């Protein structure tokens, strides 16, 4: 929603700033903030009777300009790299981005106007043409084809099919999911600890029938350690892990 100001229509505070920059022929990278702020405030005073919801956006920009104006009067801040910080930098980036989107909107609008002047005609192909199938000349198609060439083509096709087969995965059998409930394995390890009192972790794993059972047994041992049912110790870095029952 635009605001008519001094015979101009502005879509927002950035649009007004761009107008002032173009009007004064100012370099957008070196904005004289004092001059622009004064002109901007003059426009703000003429908007006093406009919708407050719209005015709020312009007032926020006015506050931003006044803040930048104050910072320009103070000694310039220096960043970590020893370079002076320009208080106008963020405002310039916003103006450049807004200007880019504004020109893109103009371009899209021009394309829309041009598209309205183009007429399209739906295809009208007779049914006889749609249903036409070019006849195949078998003699021409098989011209020069011999049994030797046909055999070579067949072998080439079969070779391509063999290349598509993964030599490793093709030998895989059916993989079925093996369910090993942790609560069941907890009871098993707990009963084993009650009956053996002290035993090695290796000895416990030797009783398992598959990798999945080994993994779940390991989880069961960790859980029982957490519960304080068993105690685990290892004297050497690569030595056997010994398990003591605390039940």
């Amino acid at each position: 929603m635009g605001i008519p100001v001094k015979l101009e229509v502005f879509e927002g505070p950035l649009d007004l700033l761009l107008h002032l920059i173009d009007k004064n022929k100012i370099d957008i990278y070196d904005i004289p903030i004092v001059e622009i702020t004064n002109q901007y405030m003059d426009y703000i005073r003429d908007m006093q009777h406009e919708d407050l919801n719209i005015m709020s956006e312009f007032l926020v920009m006015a506050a931003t300009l006044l803040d930048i104006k104050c910072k320009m009067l103070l000694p310039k801040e220096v960043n970590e790299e020893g370079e002076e910080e320009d208080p106008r930098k963020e405002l310039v980036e916003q103006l450049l981005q807004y200007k880019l989107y504004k020109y893109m909107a103009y371009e899209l609008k021009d394309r829309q106007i041009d598209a309205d002047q183009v007429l399209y005609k739906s295809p009208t192909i007779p049914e006889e043409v749609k249903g036409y199938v070019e006849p195949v000349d078998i003699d021409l198609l098989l011209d020069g084809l011999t049994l030797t060439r046909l055999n070579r083509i067949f072998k080439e096709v079969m070779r391509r099919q063999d290349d598509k087969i993964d030599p490793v995965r093709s030998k895989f059998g059916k993989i079925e999911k093996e369910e090993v409930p942790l609560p069941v394995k907890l009871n098993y390890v707990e009963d084993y600890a009650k009956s053996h009192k002290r035993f090695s972790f290796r000895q416990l794993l030797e009783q398992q029938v598959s990798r999945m059972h080994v993994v779940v047994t390991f989880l069961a041992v960790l859980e029982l350690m957490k519960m304080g049912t068993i105690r685990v110790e290892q004297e050497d870095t690569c030595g056997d892990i010994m398990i003591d029952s605390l039940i």
Side-chain angles (χ1 to χ4, degrees):
M1 181 177 181
I3 300 179
V5 180
K6 293 187 178 180
L7 303 179
E8 295 287 347
V9 177
F10 304 106
E11 299 296 333
L14 291 175
D15 198 34
L16 173 56
L17 283 178
L18 283 178
H19 167 74
L20 295 176
I21 290 173
D22 294 338
K23 177 182 177 181
N24 293 276
K25 298 180 180 180
I26 294 172
D27 182 3
I28 195 171
Y29 294 97
D30 189 19
I31 302 174
I33 203 68
V34 176
E35 180 181 350
I36 287 295
T37 301
N38 292 337
Q39 293 186 25
Y40 186 91
M41 295 304 297
D42 290 338
Y43 277 92
I44 290 293
R45 294 186 188 97
D46 292 334
M47 295 182 189
Q48 291 180 358
H49 301 291
E50 298 293 340
D51 187 351
L52 290 178
N53 291 329
I54 300 174
M55 274 295 298
S56 61
E57 300 179 7
F58 289 84
L59 292 175
V60 170
M61 178 58 70
T64 302
L65 290 172
L66 292 174
D67 180 63
I68 297 175
K69 181 179 179 180
C70 294
K71 290 181 179 179
M72 295 289 290
L73 299 175
L74 299 174
K76 294 185 178 180
E77 298 181 359
V78 180
N79 58 21
E80 297 179 355
E81 299 177 357
E83 299 176 351
E84 293 183 349
E85 292 283 355
D86 191 342
R88 303 167 296 178
K89 180 180 178 181
E90 185 176 351
L91 177 62
V92 171
E93 292 177 352
Q94 292 179 5
L95 287 169
L96 290 173
Q97 189 175 25
Y98 177 78
K99 190 174 183 179
L100 174 63
Y101 289 144
K102 185 175 182 179
Y103 288 160
M104 288 174 61
Y106 289 155
E107 177 66 22
L108 292 175
K109 185 177 181 180
D110 292 340
R111 292 191 180 188
Q112 181 182 9
I113 294 174
D114 293 340
D116 291 339
Q117 301 174 358
V118 179
L119 299 177
Y120 296 92
K121 176 181 176 296
S122 302
T124 54
I125 302 175
E127 294 297 330
E128 295 79 4
V129 177
K130 286 184 179 181
Y132 175 75
V133 178
E134 185 177 357
V136 178
D137 188 344
I138 300 298
D139 294 333
L140 181 61
L141 182 64
L142 300 179
D143 184 37
L145 184 63
T146 62
L147 290 176
T148 302
R149 185 181 176 190
L150 187 61
N151 183 52
R152 185 168 62 251
I153 294 174
F154 174 76
K155 289 183 178 180
E156 180 67 19
V157 172
M158 297 305 296
R159 184 186 64 79
R160 291 179 182 177
Q161 293 296 325
D162 292 338
D163 291 343
K164 293 180 181 179
I165 300 176
D166 191 323
V168 176
R169 297 189 180 187
S170 62
K171 297 180 181 179
F172 286 171
K174 184 179 180 182
I175 301 177
E176 297 182 356
K177 184 178 180 181
E178 183 181 16
E179 297 289 346
V180 186
L182 180 59
V184 174
K185 191 60 69 175
L186 279 171
N187 293 333
Y188 167 79
V189 176
E190 190 174 6
D191 293 339
Y192 192 90
K194 288 180 181 179
S195 58
H196 291 75
K197 296 301 181 182
R198 182 175 175 81
F199 54 95
S200 68
F201 184 56
R202 185 188 301 273
Q203 179 183 350
L204 178 62
L205 295 183
E206 288 175 351
Q207 308 298 321
Q208 310 309 310
V209 297
S210 67
R211 291 185 179 180
M212 184 59 67
H213 279 269
V214 170
V215 172
V216 180
T217 299
F218 175 68
L219 295 176
V221 170
L222 294 178
E223 186 64 24
L224 291 175
M225 288 173 57
K226 181 180 178 181
M227 295 167 57
T229 305
I230 60 175
R231 181 179 65 244
V232 176
E233 61 181 16
Q234 184 182 33
E235 294 183 0
D236 302 323
T237 303
C238 297
D240 283 342
I241 299 175
M242 301 304 298
I243 300 175
D244 293 316
S245 174
L246 300 179
I247 303 175

